[in-house]
Amino acid sequence: PLWAVHIGLDPAAVGVIFGVSAGVDAALFYPAGIVMDRFGRKWAGVPSILTLAVSFFLLPLTGGFVSLMAVGIVMGIGNGMGSGYGATVGSDLAPAVGRAEFLGLWQMVANLGNISGPLILGGVVAVASIGAASVIMGVIGVIGTAQIALLVAETLEQEPDRSGAGDS
C-alpha cells in the first residue's frame, strides 16, 4: 500500500489490487499443501520465496494501476505457493516430547520476524527510499531462497515402498 500511495493510486485502486492479490494467494492454499505433501516442503518453499523476491525487485518498476496489479498477482502467487510452509516445517521438526513448547517458540520466532520486518524496512525508507526498501526485500528473499535450497534438510518423510517392486 505504501508503494501504491507513492505512485499516486487512490484507495479504491489499492483495495482492488489487494483484493485480487489476496484472492490469488487464497486460491493456492490447497495446491500448496498438495505440493508439500507429494513432492516435499522445499518444492513449495523455494519457489514461493524466490517468486516473492522477484516481485519485490519488480515493485519499484511499477508506475500505475496495471503494472502494480501485475506485481500484486505475482506476489499473491509467491505467497500462496508457500501457504503453510512455516507451520508445516515446524510441525515436522517438533519433537514428540515438548512438542507444544517447541511449536510455541517456533511461532514466537515467526512472529518476531513479522514484527521486525516492517520496522527494518521503515528504517530503510527513512534513510534511503521506498524503492530501496523493496530491493532490499528482494535481496533478503534471494538469500532466504538459497538458505532453504542449500542448508535446510527436506522434512517430508517418504513412505517406504511397499509394492515389492524393488525386491529381488
Side-chain angles (χ1 to χ4, degrees), residues 12-140:
V14 176
V16 169
I17 292 169
F18 267 78
V20 170
S21 181
V24 169
D25 182 349
L28 292 172
F29 291 175
Y30 188 72
I34 291 171
V35 168
M36 282 191 277
D37 289 346
R38 289 195 183 158
F39 303 105
R41 305 337 184 195
K42 286 186 176 189
W43 281 91
V46 169
S48 168
I49 297 172
L50 186 59
T51 302
L52 284 166
V54 167
S55 71
F56 278 108
F57 286 130
L58 293 173
L59 188 64
L61 303 177
T62 66
F65 179 82
V66 173
S67 58
L68 187 55
M69 174 68 84
V71 170
I73 290 170
V74 173
M75 283 184 172
I77 291 168
N79 203 52
M81 285 191 304
S83 296
Y85 174 79
T88 302
V89 172
S91 293
D92 291 346
L93 296 175
V97 176
R99 186 172 189 80
E101 292 84 357
F102 177 91
L103 290 173
L105 287 171
W106 183 271
Q107 189 62 46
M108 183 185 76
V109 170
N111 287 338
L112 286 173
N114 289 336
I115 292 167
S116 62
L119 292 174
I120 292 167
L121 288 178
V124 172
V125 170
V127 298
S129 69
I130 194 167
S134 186
V135 170
I136 287 171
M137 284 299 297
V139 169
I140 291 169

